[in-house]
Amino acid sequence: MLSLLATYSWQEVRHHAWRSATAVLAVMLGVALAFSVHLINASALDEFAAAARSAGGQPDLELRSARGALPEALYARVATDAQVAVASPVLELQTLATTATGSRTSVRVLGIDALVAGAIAPTLVPAVTGQGDRLAILAPDTVFLNTAAQAVLPPDRLRLQAGMQLREVRVAGTSNAGGGPLLVMDIAAAQDLFGRAGQLTRIDVRLQPGVVRSAWLQRVALPQDVQAAEPGDAGQRVSQLSRAYRVNLTVLALVALFTGAFLVFSVLALSVARRAQQLALLGVLGLTARQRLHLVLAESAVLGALGSALGVGVGTALAAAALSLLGGDLGGGYFPGVRPQLQWSGAAAAGYGLLGVVAAMVGGWLPARHAAGLPLAQTLKGLGTSLPRGRRHALGWIALLAAGVLALLPPVAGIPLAAYLSVGLLLVGGISVLPAAVGALYDRIAPLVAHRLLPLLAVERARRVRESAAVAVSGVVAALSLAVALTVMVASFRQSVTDWLDVLLPADLYLRTSISTGAADTAFLTPQLVQSVSQLPGVARVATQRVRSLPLDPARPAVVLLARSMEDTAGSLPLVGDALPVPAGQVPVYVSEAMVDLYGARRGQPLPLLRNALGDHTFFVAGVWRDYVRQTGAIVIAQSDYLRLTGDTRVNDLQLWLAPGASAEEVQARVRERVARATGNPNLVELASASEVRGASLRIFDRSFAVTYWLQAVAIGIGLFGVAASFSAQVLARRKEFGLLQHLGLTRRQILAVVAGEGAAWTLIGALAGLALGLGVAVVLVHVVNPQSFHWTMDLLLPWARLLALCAAVIVAGTVTAWLAGRAAAGRDAVLAVKEDW
């Protein structure tokens, strides 16, 4: 009997392959996207963690300062401690190097003491090339390149940027450290090259066997600004930073899989309704209700297995292509410079494949229940073969209510799990009440067309077989809801970013010295050069900005400090709410929304975390602002306060306002000429107009959301393909009905008009339901998921033109599909099919 079931199930899958391909495609899409995101992230994280281990070794503790630099005196104290086995000083810098083509690229420089670093990080110890001097590691202006650096930098001599100067260094060998471009050199040489005499970035400490880390830290009583981090914190910080981005990508993929489950439901529900008499005959021949249920579930499992197998293969190919083209960066900039190899996991492939099969079987559960509960005698007579009529939709309304409650809950471990469940319940609940919505709509339309035959036939069928209509359009409702939600979310985000740029880009020209925040301490402008630029003809006013990283918490990525002019706070920052007056004797700061979520910074309250970084002062949070760049948090402080507290006169960015009538091109040329006169190289800075900066930012935004745009198109395509499959199946099953209508006097053209009208009627309700559900999902994405995931807010924007175009495309496609399917069924064979009942 089991072999009979398997054979019969396979024959049915083959018979309906052209319709089942829709469900298989949807399952494949969901599995492929989810699996590819997993592979890309796992490969990038593995490579990053391996690079961090090779560059940092395996110490028991890493000592760092919240101020950014450790004094060498602390190293002497730690190294001579009796409970310390090895202490390795490290100067870690990010700077810019000139490539063989003359362009600048970001590189990391590690200054180490080769005599002790080998005991903690042996892969960092350089290897001298050929017959070179074995003591070259101790030589000044000498570096050793890792594999990534060798691929982009000259092999013998290269130039590194220090301030506004390019310093030439000699390449003496290689290093086995992994990760992005890395240069290893003697720590004393690095201090001299970059003007960091007496400064360290970190101290790697390995304790004597048996020494407890917490007890040692308590005994040595480190200075207040010194942080002790675990050696694995670097990988953990990046993992946490990228987690929200990859979780959102995975959820989008699972929503596609969710759509596939609805398409499986649609295909199997219509298939069971069409084969009801065959299933009843099998029941009379001895097939039990349980076996009929297993039969339909086996069909859904076959669909899921086919989609999952294809999805795993396609996902692997997508991941390999992404790693090759993007370097595992996921489009979000979380793994710069990392070029990982694909880390394929059989366990993960099996897990995601099983997820696709489960989704398909969930979609096939209700049709299987219907097949098991068929009344055999009535079904054999042609009665009771339609889809089950739902009379109660209480569960659907409960799901919608629960979705609203879940959207109000906070995130769990930084992930908006409740919000994701809210999105799922919105879709499930909305589609569950769809039959009631179909009936309610067409009960009101029916009286309007009561005296017009063809519209009456189309509307009455939609009313009388509302369950069939709901099944037919459930897939497109799910797909359209996803497309509408993503359209609204992306449009809202893009408009919010555009408005944000308008506030942050008030000047005419912008100059920056570094292409990354990490290099801001090594690539900077001197006060003399800033003064010289401000006096150029055509320049009316100049404002400066200092960019600096602050490691406030060793378990989290560094926060960015921006010291800038704050004469007009409301006009220069996109504040959320108004700025507060500052109490006397306190230093005002303005924190990004991420600081509120991650560090508990509150408007109107002090921020004691800054004391370790900027000195023992009371810092008052005078306002909160939106920042769509730095997900880890940013703090703005007035430049005058920063100079008074730190004495740091370095400048990283310039804003230039032009004099009336001045030419932007001429001013740019004068600035480059002045930079060349002061540094000998005009290309040590980047200049751009406000429109160029805005355009580049929006291009980066569009590139980051390219996957989302593609997913929208695919979701709509799959949904329309599902409608085509459903309509075609139902129309072909109604050949006798069409034959009877022709016997009653309707022409073939009129029958096709009725079928097209039914298609329009069904897809109209599907489009309206998809639009309503999509807007509900968009509200959750914009106001809940994004703030909880990325710690920023945005304004909701409804692009009605695009949304109505999406709905219109669905309605037109559904109508055309129904008309084309009707042409195949309303021919000469339809008249002859009536004889089957005579």
Side-chain angles (χ1 to χ4, degrees):
M1 181 62 70
L2 291 178
S3 62
L4 173 63
L5 292 179
T7 303
Y8 185 77
S9 174
W10 176 242
Q11 291 296 330
E12 284 299 328
V13 171
R14 288 186 59 193
H15 182 67
H16 301 290
W18 64 279
R19 287 184 291 115
S20 303
T22 309
V24 171
L25 181 62
V27 173
M28 181 200 75
L29 174 67
V31 172
L33 289 177
F35 187 53
S36 63
V37 170
H38 169 81
L39 287 180
I40 294 170
N41 177 71
S43 301
L45 274 180
D46 182 75
E47 177 70 16
F48 186 88
R53 287 193 300 269
S54 65
Q58 291 297 321
D60 294 317
L61 289 171
E62 293 179 355
L63 303 183
R64 297 177 181 269
S65 174
R67 297 178 182 267
L70 290 167
E72 281 188 339
L74 179 63
Y75 167 68
R77 175 185 164 194
V78 171
T80 56
D81 189 282
Q83 293 183 341
V84 174
V86 180
S88 176
V90 178
L91 179 62
E92 182 177 0
L93 300 168
Q94 195 83 16
T95 188
L96 302 170
T98 54
T99 65
T101 60
S103 61
R104 296 192 303 168
T105 186
S106 180
V107 298
R108 194 156 57 111
V109 178
L110 281 185
I112 65 171
D113 183 348
L115 301 180
V116 297
I120 292 180
T123 56
L124 275 183
V125 178
V128 178
T129 302
Q131 301 298 319
D133 184 2
R134 299 297 177 184
L135 298 179
I137 182 57
L138 303 177
D141 299 333
T142 303
V143 297
F144 298 81
L145 312 183
N146 73 341
T147 302
Q150 295 173 46
V152 296
L153 297 178
D156 46 6
R157 305 193 72 85
L158 55 91
R159 292 185 295 173
L160 302 178
Q161 185 166 346
M164 290 301 291
Q165 300 293 327
L166 288 177
R167 303 290 297 273
E168 189 172 275
V169 295
R170 179 175 65 92
V171 178
T174 62
S175 169
N176 290 327
L182 175 69
L183 283 62
V184 178
M185 64 189 308
D186 177 63
I187 188 168
Q191 290 173 330
D192 180 66
L193 182 67
F194 293 100
R196 299 298 182 88
Q199 295 182 5
L200 305 175
T201 304
R202 75 172 194 259
I203 302 173
D204 295 338
V205 179
R206 178 172 293 173
L207 302 174
Q208 296 284 1
V211 176
V212 179
R213 282 177 288 192
S214 58
W216 181 80
L217 288 172
Q218 186 175 5
R219 185 181 65 81
V220 297
L222 296 172
Q224 186 177 4
D225 64 299
V226 176
Q227 303 169 343
E230 299 289 335
D233 283 348
Q236 181 183 358
R237 286 194 297 267
V238 175
S239 177
Q240 290 179 347
L241 178 62
S242 66
R243 182 178 61 181
Y245 190 80
R246 50 191 162 89
V247 165
N248 276 275
L249 286 180
T250 302
V251 169
L252 285 178
L254 294 181
V255 170
L257 191 59
F258 174 84
T259 304
F262 270 102
L263 290 175
V264 171
F265 164 72
S266 176
V267 168
L268 290 182
L270 296 172
S271 178
V272 168
R274 185 180 182 188
R275 295 181 290 128
Q277 289 180 316
Q278 300 172 14
L279 293 170
L281 178 59
L282 290 176
V284 171
L285 294 176
L287 205 65
T288 66
R290 186 180 183 86
Q291 289 172 324
R292 294 197 299 275
L293 182 141
H294 290 168
L295 173 64
V296 178
L297 284 180
E299 292 186 27
S300 64
V302 169
L303 294 176
L306 288 175
S308 295
L310 293 173
V312 168
V314 173
T316 302
L318 287 175
L323 292 174
S324 175
L325 298 175
L326 303 177
D329 210 20
L330 292 176
Y334 299 110
F335 303 101
V338 176
R339 307 294 299 184
Q341 299 297 316
L342 180 67
Q343 301 291 329
W344 199 86
S345 169
Y352 281 97
L354 181 62
L355 187 63
V357 174
V358 169
M361 295 185 70
V362 169
W365 174 250
L366 288 180
R369 288 279 305 274
H370 179 46
L374 286 173
L376 302 183
Q378 294 180 0
T379 304
L380 283 175
K381 296 178 181 179
L383 304 174
T385 59
S386 62
L387 291 168
R389 181 178 294 275
R391 292 181 173 85
R392 297 178 63 86
H393 304 284
L395 291 179
W397 293 111
I398 292 175
L400 292 176
L401 180 61
V405 174
L406 287 171
L408 302 176
L409 298 181
V412 178
I415 298 178
L417 294 178
Y420 292 139
L421 289 175
S422 173
V423 170
L425 288 178
L426 272 176
L427 294 175
V428 172
I431 294 176
S432 298
V433 301
L434 191 57
V438 172
L441 177 64
Y442 289 112
D443 284 345
R444 288 164 176 76
I445 294 179
L448 303 178
V449 296
H451 302 292
R452 303 184 64 184
L453 177 60
L454 298 184
L456 177 63
L457 288 174
V459 171
E460 284 299 322
R461 178 169 176 81
R463 288 181 65 200
R464 305 303 175 185
V465 292
R466 62 187 65 178
E467 300 293 336
S468 297
V471 169
V473 300
S474 61
V476 77
V477 169
L480 184 59
S481 299
L482 173 63
V484 167
L486 293 180
T487 298
V488 172
M489 189 271 289
V490 173
S492 300
F493 197 3
R494 198 178 195 278
Q495 185 60 47
S496 297
V497 170
T498 301
D499 297 339
W500 175 76
L501 289 171
D502 290 340
V503 176
L504 289 182
L505 299 175
D508 300 305
L509 289 178
Y510 292 85
L511 180 151
R512 67 174 183 175
T513 59
S514 63
I515 57 179
S516 67
T517 301
D521 285 344
T522 55
F524 53 86
L525 301 172
T526 62
Q528 294 78 14
L529 183 56
V530 173
Q531 179 69 20
S532 177
V533 170
S534 66
Q535 296 174 351
L536 287 174
V539 176
R541 182 163 65 94
V542 170
T544 62
Q545 178 171 271
R546 170 76 169 109
V547 182
R548 177 178 164 187
S549 294
L550 295 181
L552 298 182
D553 186 345
R556 292 192 175 104
V559 170
V560 176
L561 180 69
L562 304 172
R564 56 186 301 180
S565 173
M566 296 297 294
E567 284 83 2
D568 180 18
T569 303
S572 60
L573 280 180
L575 293 175
V576 180
D578 298 327
L580 298 178
V582 183
Q586 299 188 23
V587 180
V589 294
Y590 302 85
V591 300
S592 68
E593 293 173 309
M595 290 294 299
V596 177
D597 292 340
L598 297 177
Y599 294 91
R602 294 289 184 271
R603 194 167 68 110
Q605 296 182 5
L607 188 62
L609 284 172
L610 279 181
R611 290 185 175 182
N612 292 336
L614 298 180
D616 191 12
H617 304 275
T618 301
F619 295 93
F620 178 79
V621 179
V624 178
W625 60 289
R626 286 181 178 175
D627 183 11
Y628 293 130
V629 174
R630 290 158 283 263
Q631 183 185 331
T632 60
I635 302 172
V636 173
I637 186 172
Q639 196 165 51
S640 56
D641 290 331
Y642 178 78
L643 288 173
R644 175 172 54 86
L645 297 176
T646 66
D648 183 3
T649 61
R650 288 172 290 185
V651 170
N652 300 110
D653 303 328
L654 290 184
Q655 300 175 358
L656 285 75
W657 283 264
L658 302 184
S663 168
E665 290 77 12
E666 293 179 359
V667 172
Q668 287 193 45
R670 294 183 187 126
V671 171
R672 291 195 180 279
E673 187 273 333
R674 188 60 52 92
V675 170
R677 185 187 305 173
T679 66
N681 191 328
N683 297 320
L684 293 185
V685 298
E686 294 185 359
L687 274 167
S689 65
S691 60
E692 290 172 336
V693 174
R694 183 182 291 104
S697 301
L698 293 178
R699 282 194 297 273
I700 294 174
F701 177 93
D702 292 334
R703 185 183 64 190
S704 299
F705 281 90
V707 173
T708 305
Y709 297 140
W710 180 78
L711 184 60
Q712 285 178 284
V714 173
I716 289 294
I718 290 178
L720 292 178
F721 196 27
V723 170
S726 300
F727 283 164
S728 299
Q730 294 198 39
V731 169
L732 290 175
R734 294 166 55 198
R735 290 188 308 123
K736 297 178 184 179
E737 176 188 336
F738 295 150
L740 180 60
L741 290 176
Q742 287 188 357
H743 277 292
L744 293 176
L746 267 69
T747 65
R748 184 171 181 267
R749 183 174 182 178
Q750 289 175 317
I751 293 174
L752 291 178
V754 171
V755 173
E758 291 177 11
W762 290 8
T763 49
L764 174 62
I765 190 65
L768 293 177
L771 178 62
L773 289 177
L775 292 178
V777 173
V779 171
V780 177
L781 292 178
V782 170
H783 292 304
V784 183
V785 172
N786 270 287
Q788 292 185 3
S789 296
F790 303 105
H791 314 294
W792 54 52
T793 61
M794 64 183 76
D795 299 319
L796 183 67
L797 173 69
L798 299 179
W800 285 112
R802 273 179 280 173
L803 296 180
L804 294 178
L806 279 174
C807 295
V810 169
I811 296 172
V812 171
T815 304
V816 173
T817 297
W819 182 81
L820 293 175
R823 290 189 62 188
R828 183 183 183 91
D829 291 341
V831 179
L832 299 178
V834 181
K835 293 183 179 180
E836 297 175 7
D837 290 336
W838 292 355

